[in-house]
Amino acid sequence: MPTRTARTAWTGGLQDGSGQVELSSSGVGKYDVSFPKRSADSADGTTSPEELIAAAHSSCYAMALSAEIGRAGGTPQALDVTADVTLGPDPAGGFRIANIKLTVVGRAEGIDADGFLAAANAAKAGCPVSKALAGVDTIELAASFDS
């Protein structure tokens, strides 16, 4: 199996520093990062580890759900997946990922709403990124079947 690589170049301290994260394996881009913007309500043109985790989780989950629908005898037609990743204080000090919410609206042939919900829950448990994020206290799932 392949290994994928990202690289971050950082200068300065936590509050006054900044950096760029580069998606090295794909070469699709470099993105600005800074802690003040990471912890602000507005990203203001920068990304963050949480946004990158959200991208990884939503895309991994969509792939896992597509596979689970197929295993259930259905054919996925469309999946719209959003991952919301929340940074919060860590009671032990510092910060942690406090919550992740996956929201999916899906359309599939050959299964009903109950089959879709079962596939959605199986995908949440089986998605490699969900497994990697097992230390997060809460990973919520809101699944809607669009028949």
Side-chain angles (χ1 to χ4, degrees):
M1 297 304 290
T3 298
R4 302 293 186 229
T5 305
R7 177 182 167 273
T8 299
W10 185 270
T11 55
L14 179 62
Q15 293 297 331
D16 66 345
S18 63
Q20 268 197 338
V21 61
E22 173 185 5
L23 304 182
S24 306
S25 300
S26 63
V28 297
K30 293 181 182 180
Y31 304 93
D32 293 334
V33 291
S34 85
F35 184 76
K37 291 181 182 178
R38 176 185 185 186
S39 57
D41 287 333
S42 173
D44 200 27
T46 65
T47 193
S48 67
E50 293 73 32
E51 184 176 41
L52 296 169
I53 289 169
H57 206 176
S58 66
S59 61
C60 183
Y61 180 80
M63 292 176 204
L65 180 52
S66 178
E68 290 294 339
I69 290 169
R71 273 193 271 287
T75 303
Q77 299 299 305
L79 302 173
D80 185 351
V81 180
T82 301
D84 297 311
V85 177
T86 304
L87 179 68
D90 186 338
F95 298 92
R96 68 186 180 121
I97 294 174
N99 183 60
I100 297 174
K101 182 177 182 185
L102 292 170
T103 303
V104 58
V105 176
R107 202 168 9 99
E109 292 180 354
I111 62 171
D112 61 11
D114 289 339
F116 180 81
L117 185 57
N121 282 305
K124 178 181 171 254
C127 164
V129 173
S130 290
K131 292 177 184 179
L133 297 169
V136 175
D137 287 342
T138 305
I139 300 178
E140 301 173 47
L141 173 64
S144 300
F145 186 64
D146 184 15
S147 56

